[in-house]
Structure formats: C-alpha cells, structure tokens
Amino acid sequence: MRFTLLCLVATLILLTSSCSGPAFRDIAEILKEIGIDSLPNQEDYPEADAVYVIDNTDVQMHVESSYELYTYETVHVIKKLFKNIDDHASVQVRVYDGETLEDIRARTIKPDGSTHPLQPSDFHTITGESGGGIFYSDDRRVRFTFPAIERNCLVEYRYTKRKRYPFRYDVWHMQNYLPTLHNQYSLTLPTLLLDPPSRGGIGWKWRYMNYNMHLDKPIEYRHPNPERQKRTEMVTFTWHQKNVPAFEPEPRMPPHTDYLGYVKFAPWDWQTWNDISRWYYKELFEPQLVLSQRIKEYGQNLVANATTEEEKIRLAFDYAKGLRYIAIELGIGGIRPNTPERVMEREYGDCKDKSILLISLLKSMGIRAQPVLVLTKPSGSLSKEFASWNFNHMIVKASTRDGRVFWMDPTVQFAPLGQLPWQCEGINVLVINDDGTSQIESTPESSHNDNTSDLTITVTVSDKREATFNVTMKFMGQENLYMRSSMKDLTDKEIREFCKGLIVDEYVNASIHDYSFPGRDSVLTEFNLVFSFTVPNAVQQQADLYMLNTDPFKLTGGTGWLVKEKRKYPVRFNYPYRLKKRITILFPETIYAIRTIPEDVRFSDNDFSYSATFSGKGTNSIVVDELFAVKSTLIPPQRYEEVKRFYEKVAGKMGEKLILKRNAS
C-alpha cells in the first residue's frame, strides 16, 4: 500500500507541477465546445439583469507526500450583462481554512470585442474580517472589480483553489439566481484511488446527493493511457446542466436551499452520521472536554444550595449564557472549542465554547449533558438521508435521572430554562453521545399561545379633543426574548424614541409622558413595557360626526409580502404567535355620545384566526377586544390566495373607526 501511494505521489507531482492556469481562451471556441451557437440578448431573457453563459467547476484530486488527499478546484465563469450592470461589476472569492488560492484571473470583453484584463494589483485580499457575531476569523476574501463594463459586455473570471479537506464543505450549485446556459461540474482523479486495497488502491468513493433538481449519473471518461501504466491512468466524471432557469425567491419563504437546485458532497470516509459524530467528538470535542479541578470546584460551589437536578441545570445554564458571546475562528478553531477552563478564564466564548463549558459543569455535578450540532432554521434543514458536515451552531441537551429533558442554547442571554430561540425550534439536530455515536432528534417547538404580545390600552378623551393613551405591553415566549435583547442597553433617550417609534405612523404629533420596563435585565418569562402619550386633536370632526382612531399598533405584523398575485413557494413565519389587544375608550358623556361602533366579527381556520368584539354601548366607555393569531409556521402556496383574502378582511375590520356625535343634552 505504501509503495502504491508513493507511486501515486510521484505521478501526481508530475501532473500538477504548475497549477497556474493558461491564459483565457477565445470565447467563440468555448461556445462551440459547449454547443452554443450565439450569445444571448436581453430579448431572450427580458426579466434578467444578466445571464451566466458558463458556470464551470473542475476538480482534480491528488495524494500529497503526507498521503493525504487534496483537491485543486478551478472555477470558470462567463456572464453577459444586460442591465443593472453595477450590481454585477464586482466579485468576491472566499478562501476558507485549509484552502489556498493558487491562481486568479479576470477580464471584461466589450461588445466591440476589445478585452480589458485585470492586473495582479487589481485583486485585493481582505483578511481578518468579522461580522455576524464573529469577532475575528482567518477566512480571506479576494475582491476585484471589472473594468470598462457596459451593457451587453461579457465579464469573465477564473480561479484555482487548493483544498486540504476534499469535499468536507463542497457544494455545487446547479442553479443560480440568474439564468444559466451551461453549468458543468467535473472531477478528475487517478483510477488507483478508486481501486480497493486488495488491488493496491484506497477504495475511495465519491459521496454526493442532489437536492431539488434532477441529476443523471455523471459521464465517465477514461483518459488515453499510452504507457498502459496503472499508476498513470486517469478518469474524469462530468455533469452537464444546460439552460437552467433562474431561481427566483419570494418574500417570506423558507430557506432557499430547501428549493434551490444543488449538490452536496461529503468525504469518502463519512458513510453514516456516526462517522461524522465520532470524528468530531473524538478528534475535536472530547480532547477539549477537560474536567479540571477548577471546573469541578466551581460547579460544586455554583450549586451548593440547590436541592434538585433542575435547579442545578438552571444555575449552570444561567452562568454559561451570562458570559459574553465572542467568536474567534482561526483555523480549526472554527469548529473546535476551547477547553472549559480557558472559556472560564476569558469569560467569553462562542456557541461551542459556551456549550462545552456548560457540559463540563453539568458533568461535574453528575448530570448527563450532550453537545448538539445544529443547522439553524434560516440556513436550511438537516437531511437525514445524507450524512455531511452541514452545521453552523451548537446547543446542549441535558437529561435528569427521572427522564426530564432540557434543551439549552447558552448564547441566548435572556432565555429561561426550557426555551430555545426560534432559529433552533422544531428542527432536526445531531445529538452526540459520550462514545461519539449520535442520533438525529427533533427539538421542541412552541405554539402560538406561547409567543404572545398582550397589549392593554386605556384611551381617555378630553373635552378639548385630545386623547391620553396609557399603554401596557406584555411579551412572552419568543417575543419576550426579542424585546429583552433589543432593549437591554437602551438609554432613557433611546427608550423614549423607541416608544415614539411604535406610534409615529398613526400619531406624528404625539408626546411621550412616562415609560418603564421593570426587570429588563432579568431572565423572566414575561417582558413588560409601560408608557403613556398624549395626542392633540385626536378627535377629528367631519360635519356633525366625530371620528376617533384609538389603535396605533398594527396587529398583523406587516403585509408587504402579500404583493404577489400568486406564489410558487410556501409562506414561512419564524414562529407561531398571538397578538392580543384590549382597548378601553373613555370619553366625557356630557360632550360626546356613540353614533356608530363596528360590529363583532370572528373568523378562523387551522392556520390563522382573528376576532374583534365591542362592548359598553350606551355608556361613556367602550371596550374593544382583538385577537390575531398565526398558528402555523408554513403555509403551502396553494393557500396563498385564501391567505390574502384573510388579511384583507382583517385589514378592513381594523380600518373601521369609532364614530361619535355631539351629545344633544
């Protein structure tokens, strides 16, 4: 086996002595090869800003002197621009851990055929960028801008990456957000890699799975081998996709990866989820899970007065999520946590750091705790059928001896025990056991009753037509988490502006009086915001009628996503929720009397509900109770027109106003 690999190494060094690609080829020659007679025009794609003429990915697999597998990936793109050309003028190539950019070239081809290549100084490498909760990362981005672009020009670029971890993170996008004439993916490798060990190979297997688009088996091509030497025999596997329509996302739809056509790859030795979990746990997680004496002592002191396992779990959870969230992703540190003691010393960490600290504290107390690998809801969904590395988050699962289970995300500062953020609710996750094996489980999901915004408003109308509003807003569940994280560090001035922002759409000239939200830094299941404001001339006169708008708060959470006539994809809500309102209107009966109040209404189905009731007719007060609920998070496109009609009915009812008249007495 060692001799075979040495032969492979020698052969492949000769084959890849230079990975710098040749100069760009003639466009006409490329079009002829892929069977395109002429370049497209705007008339061919009237709705598109541009079109991909080709989007090719060519991969060569090699064995290095350390007997590790590497790949050289060459991406070649030609795009024709029609309109909004500035949106396509710049390109960014990301270079991740374990990758080296070997060669990069780019040029513009104007409609008259003149070419404008980029010079080496036109490529700019950005390192150490942060964002999205990451304080520092060693990911690199190579950015460049095409020169001399204009309508109907071509932009072309090509780059080659050397990858240390073949197919660990690789994805081939069969479909783009623009139409694509020719999309190709090919893999070239020595046939010796495919041979079983009994024939001197290593038995490498190509693992992949296609999503949301049909994919035939790749075309196999055996390269000529004049020497008839087994060690120099090469084979190429190629996929071709032609005339692929653009993926056109819709507002408020599920993650694009649930519908976009792509192929996900995985390393050849990751056959099952247990292969992945054992690799991650044994190589990266367990060696860091050191229950030092300091960790044990801290855990014992932390729960010294606790009498139940649930109390112990809560205390450990509160400590871990109380540490600052900071992610420093350098090299393998992007997926390997620091030791619990290191996290404790720094008093900060990212999801995996906080999780390993929480797990270590719970283990020191004799409580079972497991790391859980997560692909958060906005990023897609975990496929049970295909084992691959597809995670961007870590949480913790703890179990008591009497069988109770607690799912915890220690990155959410204000989460009470037992509540996950919506991004981790109701999804498949990979739960890792102490021996490195794993199983896919589903996290719990909240209901619309759990996630409630409850508004109580008292409106007092004066004899001078102004109205004073006393507002109490209670937020529970996901609404509670959102409000606490949004308002935890606001100054008094910012609080006043926040309250004003809630009502400014209806009352531009309102003035805020008082505001408070007690316990904003606490971990409680309910968040309360109390404030008052006055609106001059709130009562509007038209002839002998007086109209009063008593409701500045939108009940449906926005309807901009309803602009389309029809939908192709489902409507997705982040989580089910309920909005409740009780409005009490007090007016001087010596001046005003009720002329018209809206009728009661109620309509409901499995996904939505709305009701409005009015009481107090014939007195100096009216009480309005409204309830709006989104009970499902995913609405199929077939129901879209029905959903639009529901929202129209709600909007029409909410637009009705209370009408008063002058009291004749």
Side-chain angles (χ1 to χ4, degrees), residues 258-416:
D258 288 352
Y259 302 93
L260 181 69
Y262 69 98
V263 176
K264 184 75 174 70
F265 298 95
W268 68 289
D269 52 346
W270 286 356
Q271 302 291 320
T272 68
W273 285 111
N274 280 339
D275 293 331
I276 293 178
S277 59
R278 285 195 186 97
W279 164 78
Y280 180 74
Y281 192 77
K282 295 299 183 181
E283 297 292 329
L284 301 177
F285 194 88
E286 189 177 45
Q288 303 295 97
L289 187 61
V290 181
L291 300 184
S292 66
Q293 187 61 31
R294 181 183 178 187
I295 291 292
K296 294 177 182 177
E297 291 176 356
Y298 192 91
Q300 292 170 359
N301 293 333
L302 187 66
V303 299
N305 298 319
T307 58
T308 66
E309 285 188 304
E310 181 175 341
E311 284 184 83
K312 294 177 180 180
I313 294 171
R314 178 179 290 107
L315 289 168
F317 179 47
D318 287 347
Y319 169 70
K321 64 187 171 63
L323 302 179
R324 286 186 301 155
Y325 178 88
I326 292 180
I328 300 176
E329 299 186 351
L330 300 176
I332 199 65
I335 56 176
R336 181 178 63 193
N338 288 287
T339 63
E341 190 162 326
R342 180 64 168 152
V343 179
M344 185 179 290
E345 288 173 355
R346 289 177 167 177
E347 297 185 353
Y348 68 73
D350 61 9
C351 63
K352 58 189 179 296
D353 294 330
K354 288 176 157 233
S355 292
I356 199 171
L357 175 59
L358 176 57
I359 289 169
S360 68
L361 290 172
L362 293 175
K363 283 183 175 292
S364 73
M365 303 169 193
I367 296 173
R368 188 187 185 199
Q370 300 165 269
V372 180
L373 294 174
V374 177
L375 178 65
T376 52
K377 194 182 295 184
S379 300
S381 54
L382 195 63
S383 170
K384 293 182 179 181
E385 294 77 19
F386 184 68
S388 64
W389 186 263
N390 203 21
F391 306 102
N392 61 0
H393 192 46
M394 180 181 286
I395 60 175
V396 175
K397 179 186 177 184
S399 307
T400 61
R401 280 188 289 270
D402 61 2
R404 286 177 298 161
V405 172
F406 297 92
W407 299 86
M408 295 169 284
D409 186 339
T411 68
V412 183
Q413 182 179 357
F414 296 110

Side-chain angles (χ1 to χ4, degrees), residues 22 33 113 128 148 165 174 212 232 237 257 262 289-290 300 326 343 387 443 463 465 489 499 541 581 607 643 654-655:
E33 282 187 8
Y165 310 117
M174 294 186 285
N212 310 314
T232 60
F237 299 94
T257 52
Y262 69 98
L289 187 61
V290 181
Q300 292 170 359
I326 292 180
V343 179
T443 58
D463 55 1
R465 296 190 185 178
D489 294 323
C499 294
Q541 182 178 1
K581 278 195 290 193
D607 300 319
V643 170
M654 291 172 56

Side-chain angles (χ1 to χ4, degrees), residues 414-438:
F414 296 110
L417 183 65
Q419 183 178 359
L420 290 172
W422 69 265
Q423 295 91 337
C424 298
E425 280 194 333
I427 59 174
N428 289 331
V429 295
L430 192 68
V431 182
I432 303 179
N433 306 313
D434 290 344
D435 62 357
T437 61
S438 61

Side-chain angles (χ1 to χ4, degrees), residues 163-175:
K163 295 189 174 186
R164 184 180 178 187
Y165 310 117
F167 304 110
R168 183 180 293 180
Y169 312 113
D170 291 11
V171 175
W172 172 43
H173 292 285
M174 294 186 285
Q175 188 176 29

